[in-house]
Amino acid sequence: MEMHLMRPEWLWTLVPALILIVMLWRQRGRAGSWDAVIAPELLRHLVGDSASARGSNLLPLVLLGWLIAAVAASGPSWQKIPQPVHQKQDALVVLLDLSDSMKSADLAPSRVDRARQKLLDLLQQRREGQTGLIAYAGDAHIVTPLTDDTLTIANLLPALHPDMMPLLGSDPVSALEQALELLRSAGIRRGTILLLTDGVSEKDSDAIEKVMADSPSQLNIIGVGTATGAPIPLLEGGFLKDDMGAIVMPRLDEAGLRKLADATGGHYRRLQIDDTDIEFLQAENLFNESEETLALDRTADAWEDQGYFFILALLPLVLGLFRRGWILTLLPVLFLMQPEPASAGAWDDLWLTPDQQGQQALQRGDDETAAALFKNPEWAGTAAYRNKDYESAVTHFSDLNNANSEYNRGNALAQAGQLDEAIAAYQESLALQPDRTDAQENLALLEKLKEQQEQEQEQEQEQEQEQDQDQDQDQKQDQQEQQEQQDQQEQQEQQQQQDQQEQQDQQEQQDQQEQEDSASEDEAEPQEAEPKEAEPEEAEPEEPEEPQELPPISAAEPGDEERDQALEQWLRRIPDDPSGLLQRKFLYESRQRQEQGLGRDDETY
């Protein structure tokens, strides 16, 4: 069993205790001691035996008490208990522009390099919250969903470059829509979206304003580039030119970006070489510095403070400070410390109400016991809800008739999967208190979920009908194939019969011809009969009675096994550079979207 001190600095209090004990011991040795001035032969006759006797020494008890108190204050512990991990509900989705204009070198070494470095600085300063990353050019792609693992995002940033994007152009609207979908899927009502770009077209700005008008999230923009701009380098050399042959010089549209940020309720800041832009965003509270916390799925083991056991050891020493005969005061304590299970509940009933006992059980995390102890329906419903006993929670909340209880009843019904009843409960709560935003948001969410369920049911029905139709078609096709196979077999049998009949006719003709030849020839030529008897043997190769021999399989050469092992290792090798994987992922997603778009167009014609 391992011992751990949660506050070991309290052990330093033993140093002054030792110094004080040494000083008291020395002072006690000198106080009232006639041995130093009177000879031992005369001391007994002058002061007597009673005067030489000393009082009881309590210094060891004082030192023992001090030692126990110091150890108790240091927080000794012998076991760990799991504790839920809470994290600040702060969500940030970064939209990184990877269009060709980001390859301009007006910000050395390039705009995209400076943007990636700025994101690395931002990730180092984020201690809590979830972060997501979306890269876009002609279309948008999710690099990482919302996660608290900023190291993974930092490792993927160097692989992002405009040359890896499958489609040319700039589509920040689709990137923004994907960012809002990430926030909604994570259950975050209000998040922050940070856009790093060198410009947004007027058409896209209007579309972004419409998208952000219905969203509680905030859009903030960091402009990357300069007002003078720089040419766009090409892979094969040279710079990008327009239709007139002039070199394209993309410039930072700072006025348009600031206008877009103001229109969406966000803020704009131009990218700086230092951290002043990030500090400005943090000072303006743009990263949703919310005090709300989110319980994560994982737990962390924490040492349980067991120093209170040492406090019990101090009680006898403290009782000795009152009067003589203090041992008698320990007798009631002995009776109270009898291990009787029923006495604990009776003892609690003497001093605490059922609601107070239930509150203590709820604080301990014993939701089941708390739900059984509470007499207040609202508290009992809350404990049952935490214990995931949603039916009991609905029953308790139904006993009350106020906006809060109806809202909680709707939550319990929603967790139980009863969407229609939950919607009715939220509507009842809004009827009693129309300005409840939480009930409005949950009601809108459930209505959307209900619509999705209905759509999924319709799709399932359509799929079942299509499957039934496909099965019918497959059965018909199988029947047709079987009929065709039967017809083919019959034709083959008829053909075989005809072939056999023809072979018989030919054999009969050959026999007749042989007989005629043998009758016409003279008997003096018997030696020619042997070749005629061997003539049927020449037709034996035409009959496929004996199978043809297959060519022998050559044995493996000595170097083949080593070559196979090297090939297997090469196939199992995983590339360290994630840029290739990301590029193939983006290309696959773009092709999927194009195929889906083509499919929808085909349906319209």
Side-chain angles (χ1 to χ4, degrees), residues 207-276:
I208 290 175
E209 292 179 10
K210 292 180 181 179
V211 173
M212 293 300 299
D214 300 330
S215 175
S217 300
Q218 189 178 38
L219 175 64
N220 307 305
I221 304 174
I222 292 181
V224 184
T226 60
T228 57
I232 302 174
L234 300 177
L235 292 176
E236 59 274 11
F239 299 100
L240 181 65
K241 299 180 181 180
D242 56 13
D243 297 336
M244 304 299 294
I247 297 177
V248 178
M249 298 282 291
R251 296 175 176 83
L252 174 62
D253 185 12
E254 200 164 6
L257 294 177
R258 182 178 287 105
K259 179 181 178 182
L260 176 60
D262 295 339
T264 56
H267 295 266
Y268 169 79
R269 188 72 172 177
R270 184 162 55 88
L271 187 140
Q272 304 293 327
I273 193 172
D274 52 8
D275 292 338
T276 55

Side-chain angles (χ1 to χ4, degrees), residues 511-523 529 532:
D511 294 340
Q512 292 177 0
Q513 185 69 26
E514 291 175 358
Q515 293 176 2
E516 293 175 357
D517 294 339
S518 60
S520 60
E521 292 178 354
D522 188 46
E523 294 179 357
K532 292 180 181 179

Side-chain angles (χ1 to χ4, degrees), residues 321-496:
L321 300 177
F322 290 95
R323 63 184 66 180
R324 298 188 178 207
W326 55 269
I327 298 179
L328 297 177
T329 59
L330 295 178
L331 295 179
V333 178
L334 297 178
F335 289 106
L336 293 177
M337 295 179 63
Q338 293 296 327
E340 296 181 1
S343 63
W347 178 263
D348 292 338
D349 293 338
L350 290 176
W351 305 102
L352 300 175
T353 64
D355 289 338
Q356 292 174 341
Q357 297 178 31
Q359 187 175 5
Q360 290 182 353
L362 195 65
Q363 292 175 352
R364 293 195 306 267
D366 191 358
D367 300 330
E368 184 177 0
T369 303
L373 290 174
F374 275 121
K375 299 300 182 181
N376 188 336
E378 188 171 2
W379 281 100
T382 301
Y385 182 87
R386 291 187 178 182
N387 194 36
K388 297 184 179 180
D389 187 3
Y390 301 119
E391 295 182 358
S392 300
V394 171
T395 303
H396 290 302
F397 289 132
S398 300
D399 296 338
L400 304 172
N401 188 15
N402 54 59
N404 191 37
S405 62
E406 291 296 331
Y407 171 74
N408 292 330
R409 187 170 69 90
N411 292 338
L413 289 170
Q415 292 290 345
Q418 303 177 14
L419 299 184
D420 295 333
E421 293 80 358
I423 291 174
Y426 288 139
Q427 292 175 348
E428 184 66 24
S429 176
L430 291 174
L432 297 175
Q433 188 177 352
D435 57 346
R436 287 186 67 97
T437 57
D438 50 0
Q440 294 174 358
E441 293 175 355
N442 290 356
L443 178 61
L445 179 60
L446 288 188
E447 289 177 348
K448 184 177 180 180
L449 290 176
K450 186 177 179 181
E451 292 178 358
Q452 291 179 355
Q453 288 183 356
E454 292 176 353
Q455 292 177 359
E456 291 176 356
Q457 292 176 358
E458 291 178 356
Q459 292 177 358
E460 290 177 358
Q461 292 177 357
E462 292 177 356
Q463 290 178 358
E464 291 177 356
Q465 293 177 358
E466 291 178 356
Q467 291 177 359
D468 295 339
Q469 293 177 359
D470 294 339
Q471 290 178 359
D472 295 339
Q473 292 178 359
D474 293 339
Q475 291 177 358
K476 292 179 180 179
Q477 188 175 359
D478 294 338
Q479 292 176 359
Q480 292 178 358
E481 291 178 355
Q482 292 177 0
Q483 185 66 29
E484 292 177 356
Q485 291 178 359
Q486 291 177 1
D487 295 340
Q488 291 178 358
Q489 290 178 358
E490 292 176 356
Q491 292 177 1
Q492 290 177 359
E493 291 176 357
Q494 293 176 0
Q495 186 67 28
Q496 290 177 358

Side-chain angles (χ1 to χ4, degrees), residues 8-306:
E9 59 274 6
W10 276 95
L11 296 179
W12 288 104
T13 58
L14 294 176
V15 176
L18 294 175
I19 297 174
L20 181 61
I21 291 299
V22 171
M23 293 175 60
L24 292 176
W25 189 275
R26 294 181 61 183
Q27 183 178 1
R28 184 178 183 278
R30 292 194 301 266
S33 178
W34 295 101
D35 297 339
V37 294
I38 300 177
E41 295 83 2
L42 301 176
L43 179 63
R44 183 181 48 156
H45 300 285
L46 294 177
V47 298
D49 295 336
S50 59
S52 61
R54 296 182 180 180
S56 58
N57 188 5
L58 298 179
L59 290 180
L61 292 179
V62 174
L63 180 61
L64 178 62
W66 197 307
L67 176 62
I68 294 174
V71 173
S74 65
S77 178
W78 290 272
Q79 63 180 356
K80 292 182 178 181
I81 55 176
Q83 294 289 340
V85 179
H86 292 268
Q87 180 178 276
K88 186 182 296 183
Q89 192 173 2
D90 176 16
L92 172 65
V93 182
V94 180
L95 309 182
L96 178 59
D97 186 1
L98 291 182
S99 57
D100 285 342
S101 60
M102 292 292 288
K103 294 191 293 185
S104 299
D106 50 353
L107 294 179
S110 66
R111 294 180 181 179
V112 65
D113 291 330
R114 292 289 296 276
R116 290 182 304 192
Q117 184 60 44
K118 183 58 61 176
L119 289 182
L120 290 175
D121 297 339
L122 175 61
L123 294 176
Q124 291 178 357
Q125 297 189 16
R126 284 185 63 79
R127 296 291 182 263
E128 289 184 320
Q130 295 178 313
T131 308
L133 177 59
I134 296 176
Y136 74 92
D139 57 353
H141 303 275
I142 298 175
V143 181
T144 59
L146 286 173
T147 177
D148 56 354
D149 186 7
T150 56
L151 293 178
T152 300
I153 303 176
N155 292 332
L156 293 176
L157 276 175
L160 299 178
H161 194 270
D163 294 334
M164 69 183 301
M165 302 304 291
L167 295 180
L168 299 177
S170 179
D171 190 4
V173 180
S174 62
L176 180 62
E177 292 175 349
Q178 290 189 11
L180 295 176
E181 183 62 29
L182 282 181
L183 295 174
R184 282 194 294 266
S185 60
I188 299 174
R189 293 179 294 180
R190 185 179 184 276
T192 303
I193 301 173
L194 180 62
L195 174 62
L196 280 82
T197 181
D198 56 359
V200 177
S201 64
E202 185 176 355
K203 179 181 178 181
D204 291 336
S205 297
D206 296 337
I208 290 175
E209 292 179 10
K210 292 180 181 179
V211 173
M212 293 300 299
D214 300 330
S215 175
S217 300
Q218 189 178 38
L219 175 64
N220 307 305
I221 304 174
I222 292 181
V224 184
T226 60
T228 57
I232 302 174
L234 300 177
L235 292 176
E236 59 274 11
F239 299 100
L240 181 65
K241 299 180 181 180
D242 56 13
D243 297 336
M244 304 299 294
I247 297 177
V248 178
M249 298 282 291
R251 296 175 176 83
L252 174 62
D253 185 12
E254 200 164 6
L257 294 177
R258 182 178 287 105
K259 179 181 178 182
L260 176 60
D262 295 339
T264 56
H267 295 266
Y268 169 79
R269 188 72 172 177
R270 184 162 55 88
L271 187 140
Q272 304 293 327
I273 193 172
D274 52 8
D275 292 338
T276 55
D277 46 3
I278 299 178
E279 294 174 356
F280 166 77
L281 297 177
Q282 292 177 344
E284 293 293 333
N285 197 21
L286 304 182
F287 287 158
N288 194 17
E289 295 290 339
S290 174
E291 296 298 331
E292 298 180 0
T293 58
L294 178 66
L296 302 181
D297 294 335
R298 58 180 180 269
T299 57
D301 293 335
W303 290 98
E304 181 182 8
D305 192 352
Q306 297 173 331

Side-chain angles (χ1 to χ4, degrees), residues 527-539:
Q527 66 274 11
E528 295 180 359
E530 293 179 0
K532 292 180 181 179
E533 292 177 359
E535 285 180 1
E537 295 180 359
E538 295 179 358

